[in-house]
Amino acid sequence: MPTITIDKERFCNSFETRLTDEELMNILSELGTDVENITEKTVEIEIFPNRPDMLSIPGLVRNVRGLLGEETSIKQYPIQKAEKTVNVTEDVKPVR
């Protein structure tokens, strides 16, 4: 399984809640990861291969914020009118 090492300060500063090392280990375990090591500067985490969204700090932060209740909804993206259109003619309808 892939193991990543992240900067602990950068990661922990992403939350409104201040987490102790024990709380950090528990919440990362709740996400289904194995915390290999926590030092003063780094956190080493083993990620399951079916969770590529957690192979980066932003992905981990998003998941932890959800468990902490800091970010509980799906991010909304603005919808804009498209500049281009696609026209499908009747002769290709059977394969579309």
Side-chain angles (χ1 to χ4, degrees):
M1 286 189 268
T3 301
I4 62 170
T5 302
I6 59 173
D7 182 283
K8 182 179 171 184
E9 183 179 353
R10 179 177 171 207
F11 181 65
C12 289
N13 285 340
S14 301
F15 311 113
E16 297 169 14
T17 307
R18 290 284 143 222
L19 299 171
T20 65
D21 286 355
E22 186 176 338
E23 291 170 327
L24 182 59
M25 187 178 300
N26 288 338
I27 203 153
L28 288 171
S29 294
E30 285 182 43
L31 289 174
T33 66
D34 287 329
V35 179
E36 298 290 321
N37 192 21
I38 296 179
T39 68
E40 191 175 310
K41 295 190 180 272
T42 64
V43 180
E44 189 177 341
I45 309 164
E46 188 175 4
I47 308 290
F48 286 102
N50 66 335
R51 293 303 306 265
D53 59 314
M54 295 197 309
L55 290 173
S56 67
I57 289 179
L60 280 168
V61 167
R62 202 172 21 257
N63 282 283
V64 172
R65 280 185 183 158
L67 286 177
L68 293 173
E70 294 180 4
E71 185 178 308
T72 57
S73 63
I74 297 173
K75 185 170 180 162
Q76 299 295 314
Y77 294 95
I79 299 173
Q80 301 171 357
K81 184 152 177 71
E83 295 176 10
K84 298 182 181 188
T85 60
V86 176
N87 295 311
V88 179
T89 59
E90 288 295 320
D91 59 322
V92 295
K93 189 174 182 179
V95 295
R96 296 285 182 247

